Amino acid sequence: MGVGGIGINAVQGAAHAGASHVIAVDPIAFKREKAMELGATHSYASIEEAAEFGRSVTNGQGADKALVTVGVLKGEHVAQAFEAIGKGGRVVITGLGDLTDVGIPINPSMLALFTKEIRGALFGDQNPSADMLKMLRLYQEGQIKLDELITKRYKLDDINQGYEDLHAGKNLRGVIIYD
């Protein structure tokens, strides 16, 4: 849920890990198209559409995992992802929002009755000393894409345009080139 700079790598990670259905969710068509190029098997503009599809291919159960990588996290995003997962499913949150916001509108009984889990993750829960070398090797072997994530390069003088493009959803990754 959310196919920006973090979400697009979650798509690649899920595909690399062997997920049979990698469902990307983003309201911006460009990002959904890039997700399909980089490992998603399906893409939808809303989590409701994605959850419906997920239930259709899991005999009504729902997704095993939902990763919330939206740019500005709100409790309702977590609740939507929580509704999309099935029994024993896990919602993983990497997005951040207003640190003063509290509350996630979910039925807490579903945590126990369906053994669902909500957890956070920072930097992919990786061990940099071991995982960075593994990711470098995967990149060198062509198993993960990094160059393809760069949507546009900007000169330092064009940094404001880079931010505008970021907020307009025109970039997965904008890169500043220092001359």
Side-chain angles (χ1 to χ4, degrees):
M1 182 181 198
V3 185
I6 295 171
I8 195 65
N9 287 302
V11 166
Q12 286 196 85
H16 181 73
S20 57
H21 299 285
V22 179
I23 307 167
V25 179
D26 201 288
I28 298 171
F30 163 73
K31 292 183 177 186
R32 293 193 308 271
E33 290 167 16
K34 293 303 274 185
M36 294 297 292
E37 292 172 19
L38 293 167
T41 57
H42 303 83
S43 67
Y44 295 94
S46 74
I47 188 69
E48 292 81 12
E49 293 174 294
E52 184 177 321
F53 171 76
R55 285 188 288 276
S56 78
V57 295
T58 59
N59 203 24
Q61 298 302 304
D64 293 328
K65 301 205 175 26
L67 287 80
V68 183
T69 62
V70 296
V72 180
L73 181 69
K74 298 192 178 297
E76 65 216 37
H77 296 130
V78 179
Q80 291 168 331
F82 187 81
E83 290 299 317
I85 61 172
K87 186 173 184 173
R90 176 186 291 172
V91 173
V92 179
I93 303 161
T94 65
L96 298 174
D98 182 342
L99 295 178
T100 63
D101 281 352
V102 295
I104 300 171
I106 63 167
N107 180 337
S109 296
M110 295 298 112
L111 289 167
L113 291 173
F114 289 93
T115 62
K116 292 184 177 186
E117 180 181 344
I118 300 172
R119 68 173 302 246
L122 185 62
F123 303 119
D125 279 351
Q126 67 175 330
N127 174 350
S129 61
D131 295 337
M132 293 302 284
L133 293 174
K134 179 180 179 182
M135 286 189 285
L136 176 61
R137 182 180 47 78
L138 293 172
Y139 167 71
Q140 290 170 329
E141 294 171 353
Q143 293 186 45
I144 59 172
K145 308 293 183 198
L146 296 179
D147 299 323
E148 294 81 354
L149 301 180
I150 300 171
T151 312
K152 188 167 181 182
R153 289 169 171 79
Y154 300 90
K155 293 182 179 180
L156 186 56
D157 292 342
D158 299 326
I159 194 167
N160 289 335
Q161 183 63 51
Y163 275 109
E164 287 177 29
D165 290 350
L166 171 72
H167 292 296
K170 295 179 181 179
N171 274 339
L172 291 176
R173 288 284 186 202
V175 175
I176 298 170
I177 303 297
Y178 298 94
D179 287 331

